[in-house]
Amino acid sequence: MTDTPGLADGYEISTDPERIDLERVHRWLSTDAYWAIGRAREKQERAIAGSLNFGVFDTASGEQVAYARVVTDQATFAWLCDVYVDPSVRGKRIGTAMVEAVRAHLLPYGLRRILLATHDAHGVYEKVGFRSLERPDQWMALVFE
């Protein structure tokens, strides 16, 4: 997956779970992502193990600079979540390229929809084709607090 159109030179995207820097992803999410503040490392590792994972890596250093995961049945539905781009590389279109790679990877499955929730990055996802729900009143959530 290294030839990703729109990805800045010097970076590559991989779905190889062995390349995910578990410590880094946990630190990013548990300390800097509003939706995952305080998430336990063990819980994060279980989430990673049960998901399709995308990492963006600096090709020179091998360092991971972005992460996203997808929960899917690979037939009808997917949920894109835990999208995070390291602050040091924001503004280089890495997040958009990663979400485009997610979309391209999932396209052959013939899914009906890919959902996500975001508080502040609507513009990033709109560039890739996401839009607000047409009928949000049809959706419900069972929330465990």
Side-chain angles (χ1 to χ4, degrees), residues 58-137:
D58 181 303
T59 55
S61 68
E63 179 178 67
Q64 186 169 352
V65 298
Y67 174 75
R69 69 184 181 92
V70 176
V71 180
T72 182
D73 62 9
Q74 299 181 355
T76 62
F77 175 84
W79 176 43
L80 173 61
C81 53
D82 286 348
V83 178
Y84 189 90
V85 177
D86 190 89
S88 69
V89 297
R90 289 181 188 164
K92 295 184 177 184
R93 225 183 148 275
I94 287 173
T96 300
M98 182 171 57
V99 175
E100 288 171 341
V102 167
R103 182 187 64 194
H105 186 93
L106 296 176
L107 190 61
Y109 296 160
L111 304 175
R112 181 170 168 89
R113 66 180 45 92
I114 302 169
L115 292 178
L116 65 89
T118 184
H119 177 72
D120 59 356
H122 293 79
V124 171
Y125 299 107
E126 287 168 349
K127 291 177 193 173
V128 181
F130 283 86
R131 62 182 188 269
S132 296
L133 293 173
E134 290 179 23
R135 298 287 316 267
D137 58 309

Side-chain angles (χ1 to χ4, degrees), residues 7 9 11-12 17 19 22 24 27 36 45 48 57-58 61 64 71 84 86 93-94 100-101 110 130 137 142:
L7 185 62
D9 288 339
Y11 298 96
E12 65 180 345
R19 292 189 69 188
L22 299 174
R24 180 176 295 232
R27 182 173 26 84
E45 289 185 15
I48 289 170
F57 301 87
D58 181 303
S61 68
Q64 186 169 352
V71 180
Y84 189 90
D86 190 89
R93 225 183 148 275
I94 287 173
E100 288 171 341
F130 283 86
D137 58 309
L142 178 61

